[in-house]
């Protein structure tokens, strides 16, 4: 199992992977990124990820140094060099380095960094028993960047810190309009009367790639889909709630702010949908994530 870095196309051992202290990603969070995982060694939805990276970069006016197919090839090359059975990929694009000062014209050359690590999955118990979450009212840097996956997660880091203090796994972000939009690094879904409800992109969410695949397959699990803003009460009174992200897939939520959701156990629709999702990503024959 190995870790590898690729900086502007150069493959490096992690201990040799260094970037400038004048890089604006470091100085100002002036960057965008993607997180990708493999199934059977192949990066899942790679095209969708590099296209989202391109959209995020365009949103904050960072020029893409490579077009999406070339970026995808570079990611594949780093994955091949790492040679793990399953990997996690963090692809970052910063505006690059330049003299101090916010003016983005100070940086002429964007920096791209691809980090590959062996994939670490969440403990089986989290899928078996579900997780608890808190809600947190906050404004995030991405709220000003309209759906771009920007590098500044400070508000979300602080929200997760609060979650950790009470032993919760994730914080659900409440926006200035009082709506629950998503988790700090996940999208949120509610199941109510066989309808799968999640906020629309216009609600200020990151358009999760896992979310898009879940919406596409929901019908196979017998669920209708409703895209609408979620009030805190929709979550509290839901039959079932779950989170989605590339690394977590579908993670059942059994309590919010200390109060149980439904009967406080992962629900049947979440399980059924997760099984459909596992088939969809080519893992139908493997053990379900909640089976020890
Ligand atoms: C804010 C936010 N929402 C949602 C997600 C889930 O997105 P995806 O399914 O593409 O991993 C992430 C992933 O990191 C995220 O940071």
């Amino acid at each position: 199992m190995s870790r590898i870095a690729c900086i502007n196309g150069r493959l490096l051992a992690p201990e040799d992977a260094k970037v400038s202290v004048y890089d604006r990603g470091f100085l100002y969070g002036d960057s965008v990124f993607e997180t990708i995982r493999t199934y059977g060694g192949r990066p899942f939805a790679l095209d969708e990820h590099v296209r989202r990276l391109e959209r995020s970069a365009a949103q904050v006016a960072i020029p893409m140094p490579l077009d999406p197919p070339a970026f995808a090839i570079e990611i594949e090359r780093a994955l091949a060099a790492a040679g793990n059975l399953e990997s996690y990929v963090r692809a970052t694009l910063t505006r690059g380095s330049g003299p101090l000062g916010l003016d983005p014209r100070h940086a002429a050359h964007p920096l791209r960094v691809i980090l590959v690590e062996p994939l670490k999955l969440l403990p089986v118990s989290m899928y078996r028993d579900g997780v608890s979450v808190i809600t947190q009212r906050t404004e995030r840097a991405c709220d000003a960047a309209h759906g771009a996956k920007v590098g500044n997660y400070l508000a979300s880091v602080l929200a997760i810190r609060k979650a950790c203090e009470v032993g919760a796994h994730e914080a659900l972000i409440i926006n200035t309009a009082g709506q629950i939009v998503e988790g700090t690094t996940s999208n949120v879904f509610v199941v109510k009367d066989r309808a799968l409800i999640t906020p629309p992109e216009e609600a200020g969410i990151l358009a999760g790639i896992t979310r898009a695949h879940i919406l596409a397959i929901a019908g196979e699990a017998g669920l209708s889909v409703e895209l609408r803003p979620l009030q805190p009460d929709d979550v509290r009174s839901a039959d079932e709630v779950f989170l989605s992200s590339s690394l977590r897939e579908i993670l059942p939520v059994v309590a919010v702010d200390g109060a149980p959701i439904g009967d406080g156990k992962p629900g049947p629709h979440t399980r059924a949908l997760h099984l459909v999702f596992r088939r969809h990503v080519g893992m139908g024959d493997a053990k379900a994530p909640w089976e020890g």
Side-chain angles (χ1 to χ4, degrees):
M1 296 293 233
S2 70
R3 295 160 67 222
I4 205 141
C6 180
I7 301 184
N8 285 345
R10 242 182 103 210
L11 289 167
L12 296 158
E15 58 276 18
D16 299 326
K18 307 254 185 333
V19 299
S20 166
V21 291
Y22 291 96
D23 187 274
R24 296 173 60 97
F26 170 69
L27 289 174
Y28 308 121
D30 193 358
S31 64
V32 293
F33 72 102
E34 282 298 314
T35 298
I36 305 161
R37 67 156 286 179
T38 63
Y39 287 103
R42 308 277 314 133
F44 178 67
L46 182 56
D47 279 3
E48 290 158 65
H49 280 284
V50 288
R51 292 204 182 279
R52 185 171 67 184
L53 186 72
E54 183 186 42
R55 281 199 305 279
S56 295
Q59 195 73 47
V60 297
I62 296 180
M64 273 288 268
L66 298 176
D67 62 16
F71 222 117
I73 289 170
E74 200 159 280
I75 290 171
E76 302 249 30
R77 203 160 61 86
L79 277 167
N84 299 318
L85 279 178
E86 297 291 11
S87 293
Y88 160 104
V89 179
R90 168 60 137 96
T92 308
L93 178 66
T94 81
R95 200 179 300 277
S97 296
L100 294 176
L102 282 192
D103 186 343
R105 291 171 301 182
H106 290 174
H109 305 290
L111 175 86
R112 58 187 196 279
V113 177
I114 298 164
L115 302 177
V116 180
E117 312 250 331
L119 180 68
K120 281 199 220 82
L121 296 175
L122 288 182
V124 168
S125 59
M126 286 197 170
Y127 293 96
R128 190 188 56 219
D129 306 330
V131 298
S132 58
V133 299
I134 60 162
T135 54
Q136 179 67 33
R137 188 180 281 261
T138 188
E139 278 183 81
R140 304 167 300 167
C142 63
D143 298 333
H146 307 292
K149 197 163 161 68
V150 294
N152 188 327
Y153 266 54
L154 189 57
S156 297
V157 169
L158 298 180
I160 273 292
R161 188 163 172 260
K162 287 233 162 115
C164 292
E165 275 168 15
V166 295
H169 169 78
E170 174 63 297
L172 300 182
I173 303 297
I174 300 188
N175 65 13
T176 49
Q179 298 159 349
I180 290 190
V181 283
E182 60 185 333
T184 59
T185 54
S186 56
N187 291 111
V188 64
F189 292 80
V190 157
V191 180
K192 186 75 182 172
D193 301 330
R194 287 192 162 264
L196 184 62
I197 312 164
T198 197
E201 291 184 26
E202 307 81 65
I205 61 163
L206 178 77
I209 291 181
T210 321
R211 171 184 176 276
H213 284 261
I214 288 170
L215 293 176
I217 62 174
E220 289 176 54
L223 295 168
S224 62
V225 166
E226 233 179 280
L227 298 183
R228 67 165 167 84
L230 285 176
Q231 303 301 329
D233 227 25
D234 292 320
V235 174
R236 284 194 285 264
S237 64
D239 297 336
E240 301 176 27
V241 175
F242 65 84
L243 307 172
S244 77
S245 77
S246 297
L247 296 183
R248 281 167 284 195
E249 300 182 339
I250 291 175
L251 186 63
V253 172
V254 294
V256 58
D257 293 330
I261 310 261
D263 63 1
K265 297 197 186 99
H269 297 298
T270 304
R271 286 275 192 260
L273 186 62
H274 202 163
L275 287 176
V276 174
F277 182 82
R278 295 285 287 177
R279 282 206 300 278
H280 177 72
V281 297
M283 299 295 279
D285 294 334
K287 260 200 290 196
W290 55 88
E291 289 169 352

